[in-house]
Amino acid sequence: MLPEEDFLAAEEALRRAMLSSDVAALDALLSDDLLFVSHTGSVLDKEADLESHRSGALRLTRVDFTDTHFRYLSAGAVVVVHAALSGEFQGAPFEGNFRYTRVWQVVDDAPQVVAAQCTAVG
């Protein structure tokens, strides 16, 4: 099993990739089997998540993760973070606070997100 620091480093790599819309980095960090439930309740797969960055529909200008909670699983970990986000989605500006829950699995000795949930918080 990877040490906790490796999962937290992957969280930081994910944060940076989200902020810069680095599709190659996101592709490496997200499982091909990704299921992501957005703050609206939509269920997205990996390709839909990548396409929002690739197309420019989602442009983030702020991605700050705080209040991190970590738990090991038998083949990975669960990480819950508070995320302060701002940017544009389909040309409309947004800003908000969210709670992300991510399930990380270890694939070829590297963590990948296999499932995630985003909830808007006050």
Side-chain angles (χ1 to χ4, degrees), residues 2-64:
L2 298 176
E4 181 177 340
E5 292 78 24
D6 286 8
F7 290 101
L8 298 179
E11 280 282 331
E12 175 57 19
L14 182 64
R15 186 193 74 77
R16 288 191 316 268
M18 290 169 61
L19 186 57
S20 63
S21 287
D22 184 340
V23 174
L26 289 167
D27 186 47
L29 290 164
L30 302 177
S31 168
D32 289 344
D33 297 322
L34 175 72
L35 287 175
F36 172 58
V37 180
S38 76
H39 70 287
T40 65
S42 298
V43 179
L44 306 173
D45 62 9
K46 179 179 180 172
E47 185 52 37
D49 195 333
L50 293 178
E51 184 57 26
S52 67
H53 289 277
R54 186 182 296 116
S55 69
L58 176 63
R59 295 184 189 278
L60 296 167
T61 56
R62 178 182 179 204
V63 179
D64 293 331

Side-chain angles (χ1 to χ4, degrees), residues 101-122:
T101 301
R102 284 188 272 270
V103 179
W104 292 87
Q105 66 179 1
V106 178
V107 177
D108 298 329
D109 297 322
Q112 286 188 329
V113 179
V114 67
Q117 165 88 37
C118 177
T119 304
V121 296

